[in-house]
Amino acid sequence: MQYKKILVTGAAGFIGFHVCKLLLERGLSVVGLDNINSYYAVQLKYARLEELGVARDDAQQWGRQSISTVNSSFSFVRMNIEDREQLPVFFASEKFDAVIHLAAQAGVRHSMTHPEAYVDSNVVGFLNILEGCRKERVAHLLYASSSSVYGENSKIPFAEDDCVDYPVSVYAATKKANELMAHSYSHLFQLPTTGLRFFTVYGPWGRPDMAPMLFASAIAAEREIKLFNHGEMSRDFTYVDDICQGVYVALQHPNRAEKPYQVFNVGNGKPVQLTDFVAALERATGKTARQKMLPMQLGEVPRTWADISKLQALGYESKTNLQEGVKKFVAWFQTCRFDIT
Ligand code: NAD
């Protein structure tokens, strides 16, 4: 399928920003959407948009589309996907070939204290995206699910048809809800949907609430870093460029079955102990981390490990090893010109 015009929601976010860049490099026309919420430092979100050629003053305006000054194939609109009035009008006026839906309230820990934000953005907002795609006959909807849907899965590595019936956080429950909702729209309306179960993404322009940035900030400021489950945690850390390649491969492969629903793991396939991730950061920064071991936190899982063979069969490769990825992340972090704490 040849796509021309793609909507990327969550475009001011970490993964959305990188996905927009990749799609533009591939010659596609991209419209980015984000409400620029204040879950973490908004200056980082505006800086990402500036990198894409949209000035902060323009990005701040609600509902107005701003064309990038560096690439006329990119425009940005500030909009809330929960908005049941504006969003349908926007979908009807734009006629997207595909939608890559990455806007969501992210973060497992925050969902313990702010569950309503997750239902609003991730369930209500997602329903509005599904409706927009159905009404405007979008050819392919891809959306961010998460490795967190696997919960405390004991089968390793985690494969797409493993049981995902027992989420252990509200965040994970909303991601699982997305997969169920997508399934019903594929079944009822033949909307091609692709769920992307991302595994712990890291890299330049990353999220300040996630371990890589928290650890790097603490190491730089000589503060203690907190390692939960006494460091006995492993994550399938995946470099952001590989994630974007995975999104691109999945974009080219909508399910063509009668009920066009599918999900893919998008990961690295090589889990890393948190203590080893810290060691890689120490090597890249040349500094020693002060580590504080703490008990397991409620809602967290001890490990994630992606079986990536399903997406690999379509051409996906995870190319970036941990040392290389951490080096690139640290190089960006050290030139970061804004306060992201
Ligand atoms: P992010 O928080 O950096 O980006 C999400 C963006 O969505 C933010 O810029 C936010 O302002 C926007 N947003 C939130 N609610 C919105 C709403 N109601 N209307 C419009 N915009 C809204 O997060 P990210 O790390 O880039 O994650 C992107 C997606 O991937 C999310 O769906 C997340 O749950 C999922 N995911 C991320 C990871 C990871 O490791 N980063 C892992 C698994 C899944």
Side-chain angles (χ1 to χ4, degrees), residues 257-286:
E258 199 184 325
K259 291 165 185 173
Y261 165 87
Q262 60 186 353
V263 290
F264 292 106
N265 286 340
V266 193
N268 189 38
K270 297 183 190 75
V272 173
Q273 282 280 119
L274 274 195
T275 43
D276 291 334
F277 191 86
V278 174
L281 278 174
E282 289 179 323
R283 270 194 297 279
T285 57

Side-chain angles (χ1 to χ4, degrees), residues 9-16 33-40 45 48 79-82 101-107 120-122 125 144-148 171 175 196-202 207 210:
T9 73
F14 170 36
I15 301 173
L33 177 153
D34 205 296
N35 69 346
I36 316 185
N37 72 18
S38 54
Y39 168 57
Y40 61 76
K45 297 186 182 184
R48 292 178 184 132
M79 197 173 282
N80 192 331
I81 56 165
E82 294 156 41
H101 174 56
L102 305 171
Q105 179 57 58
D120 293 347
S121 280
N122 304 5
S145 181
S146 163
S147 60
S148 64
Y171 169 70
K175 291 293 173 181
L196 302 165
R197 293 178 179 167
F198 297 139
F199 282 70
T200 317
V201 190
Y202 74 100
R207 268 183 26 214
M210 290 185 65

Side-chain angles (χ1 to χ4, degrees), residues 108-109 152 168-169 228 233 235 296-302:
V108 167
R109 274 174 218 160
E152 291 169 334
V168 297
S169 68
F228 295 103
M233 285 238 254
R235 290 288 177 268
M296 186 72 168
Q297 284 216 315
L298 210 57
E300 295 282 358
V301 294

Side-chain angles (χ1 to χ4, degrees), residues 155-177:
K155 268 180 76 192
I156 46 166
F158 300 172
E160 285 85 347
D161 49 13
D162 287 356
C163 170
V164 289
D165 286 347
Y166 303 104
V168 297
S169 68
V170 171
Y171 169 70
T174 63
K175 291 293 173 181
K176 160 86 180 168

